[in-house]
Amino acid sequence: MTIDSKFQFSDLSDQELLYGAKTCPGCAATIAVRLALKVLGERTFVCVPACCLAATTNAYPQVSFAVNYVVTAFPATASTIAGMAAAAEMQGLEDVTILGIAGDGGTADIGLQALSGVCERNDNVIYLCYDNEAYMNTGIQRSSSTPWGAWTTTSPAGEGERGKTKYRKNLFDIIAAHRVPYCATASVAYPMDLMEKVAKAKAIKGARFIHVHAPCPTGWGYSSEKTIEYGKLAVESGLWYLAEYENGEMKLNLTPKTFKPAELYLKGQRRFRHMTEQDYKLIEENRDREWDLLKERVKA
Amino acid sequence: MKPRLIRDFHFPARPEELAFGVCTDAGVLTTANSGWRVFRPVLDASKCIRCLFCWVYCPDGVIGKEEKDLTIDYDYCKGCGVCAHECPKKAISMVKEGE
């Protein structure tokens, strides 16, 4: 299960365009943004709504982004980048990339209608969603991207409570249903794959969407050095998938032959601590159902 | 090339010294993150094979690859330990601060 790669780590730029952010130690969102900006380069205009990244990169007078950068209202990421793209076009700027970065709450819940509008109008922007599976900035509230059974402050676990009782929203399918030119899922634990997808998105014109899985040590409850380990385990146990949608066709970048037991991924995290063997089984059953659907779509 | 901490930065003393308007310069670093650290990563260059996994996985990008040996910017390392955990040769060890 290797991924084809044309990049070498040593060829990548030494320039850091996101540096000194006040994010928690081991934050995966900064890995995703840092690597994406390495590929996109200096001529990138970034827009961030209220999210972890906006709160941690602007501690006045410190500004951690070294590119043009604007903070917008929570639901307005997609509409702001649409406006930025229109302005860039009016000014005849052709070598710039307009990038919107938002968390899963700002994408799947609050910012969804603006994002849907951008995808439908096919504005010339890239939208990157880092998915840490809850509203982490405000203190771990459940979002529609939180997986089934996870503890958050608004979906508690304990006596009579079993964490979140609903399954997560499939954002990739929602965006792919808009028939955008390019849409992908990625993970920070697979940096080559992530950077190739960003490079591919950069070369395409139109609305492009990348959904990055970003483990969060604070919200998920594991020690900070295991960020990459949990990112890998999520993919290897089939609870996250790496896929691409391009020219009306869906492609899986990595299909594990056998899934690792979900228990390996779930057991070490505080948010799944209340789970029993039966819960693991339910999660695996749901995973197998999802993968059957995925494989059917790729074949067709 | 990494942005550097501005060591002689003085916080505006009077309102007239504040940046005017809604825009400020990008990439201005006035405070360090080194105080967050409990454990400090120390690289053993003789074990390093330059696979650059630490460089790519470092959340804050503090590892530099321009020179012959990898370098670590201790001003902005938060001591999360991802580099030591992902190093296939165990060339990075986490040492407690103050020892």
Side-chain angles (χ1 to χ4, degrees), chain A residues 17-163:
Chain A
L17 295 172
L18 173 65
Y19 201 70
K22 305 284 180 197
T23 47
C24 310
C27 176
T30 40
I31 308 182
V33 175
R34 179 181 158 245
L35 295 180
L37 284 176
K38 270 194 195 300
V39 177
L40 296 173
E42 251 182 335
R43 297 288 286 160
T44 308
F45 296 168
V46 176
C47 170
V48 180
C51 64
C52 286
L53 212 61
T56 54
T57 52
N58 294 316
Y60 180 85
Q62 176 150 310
V63 184
S64 298
F65 273 101
V67 292
N68 282 309
Y69 161 61
V70 63
V71 179
T72 190
F74 217 152
T77 328
S79 29
T80 308
I81 51 177
M84 285 159 74
E89 198 187 331
M90 282 302 284
Q91 292 185 24
L93 302 173
E94 276 169 6
D95 59 337
V96 299
T97 313
I98 312 293
L99 173 69
I101 305 167
D104 54 302
T107 306
D109 300 346
I110 301 175
L112 189 62
Q113 57 95 7
L115 177 61
S116 176
V118 159
C119 293
E120 188 262 330
R121 292 190 302 270
N122 202 17
D123 289 314
N124 189 19
V125 296
I126 302 181
Y127 194 108
L128 189 142
C129 165
Y130 63 91
D131 190 346
N132 44 27
E133 303 188 335
Y135 289 86
M136 295 307 179
N137 181 34
T138 46
I140 323 167
Q141 285 86 16
R142 139 206 210 286
S143 81
S144 61
S145 207
T146 306
W148 181 85
W151 165 91
T152 63
T153 51
T154 46
S155 63
E159 255 174 72
E161 303 276 352
R162 313 292 306 147

Side-chain angles (χ1 to χ4, degrees), chain A residues 169-184:
Chain A
K169 193 185 261 182
N170 191 326
L171 197 54
F172 175 77
D173 281 357
I174 295 172
I175 306 301
H178 289 77
R179 306 291 175 254
V180 289
Y182 187 76
C183 164

Side-chain angles (χ1 to χ4, degrees), chain A residues 265-279:
Chain A
Y265 171 66
L266 303 169
K267 210 175 176 182
Q269 297 178 41
R270 193 183 58 217
R271 60 175 182 159
F272 293 122
R273 198 170 51 183
H274 57 280
M275 283 200 164
T276 57
E277 290 291 327
Q278 209 184 349
D279 293 327

Side-chain angles (χ1 to χ4, degrees), chain B residues 64-83:
Chain B
K65 64 174 173 60
E66 287 122 315
E67 285 159 40
K68 193 175 141 280
D69 291 339
L70 298 181
T71 54
I72 299 170
D73 179 358
Y74 287 110
D75 275 346
Y76 284 103
C77 172
K78 293 170 188 157
C80 67
V82 167
C83 51

Side-chain angles (χ1 to χ4, degrees), chain A residues 9-10 12 14-16 19-23 26-27 30-31 34 60-63 65 189 191 224-225 228-229, chain B residues 1-2 9 18 26-31 33 36 55-61 65-66 73 76 78 80-81 85-86:
Chain A
F9 290 153
S10 51
L12 287 163
D14 282 316
Q15 194 177 22
E16 299 292 344
Y19 201 70
K22 305 284 180 197
T23 47
C27 176
T30 40
I31 308 182
R34 179 181 158 245
Y60 180 85
Q62 176 150 310
V63 184
F65 273 101
S224 61
E225 77 274 9
I228 304 298
E229 191 184 312
Chain B
M1 188 189 61
K2 297 184 195 303
F9 177 80
L18 284 168
V28 182
L29 303 180
T30 55
T31 48
N33 295 342
W36 299 27
W55 178 83
V56 79
Y57 284 138
C58 176
D60 291 281
K65 64 174 173 60
E66 287 122 315
D73 179 358
Y76 284 103
K78 293 170 188 157
C80 67
H85 196 71
E86 296 305 320

Side-chain angles (χ1 to χ4, degrees), chain A residues 193-255:
Chain A
D193 178 69
L194 167 62
M195 285 186 282
E196 269 165 34
K197 281 169 177 167
V198 176
K200 207 180 227 183
K202 191 187 180 187
I204 297 171
K205 236 175 132 62
R208 294 142 286 171
F209 178 80
I210 301 172
H211 191 186
V212 187
H213 192 235
C216 169
T218 311
W220 298 14
Y222 61 83
S223 63
S224 61
E225 77 274 9
K226 291 185 178 150
T227 293
I228 304 298
E229 191 184 312
Y230 279 117
K232 276 185 187 152
L233 275 174
V235 174
E236 285 166 356
S237 60
L239 297 172
W240 184 253
Y241 58 95
L242 305 178
E244 265 178 316
Y245 172 89
E246 199 184 2
N247 305 325
E249 269 178 45
M250 192 181 143
K251 192 173 100 187
L252 281 170
N253 300 98
L254 195 152
T255 320

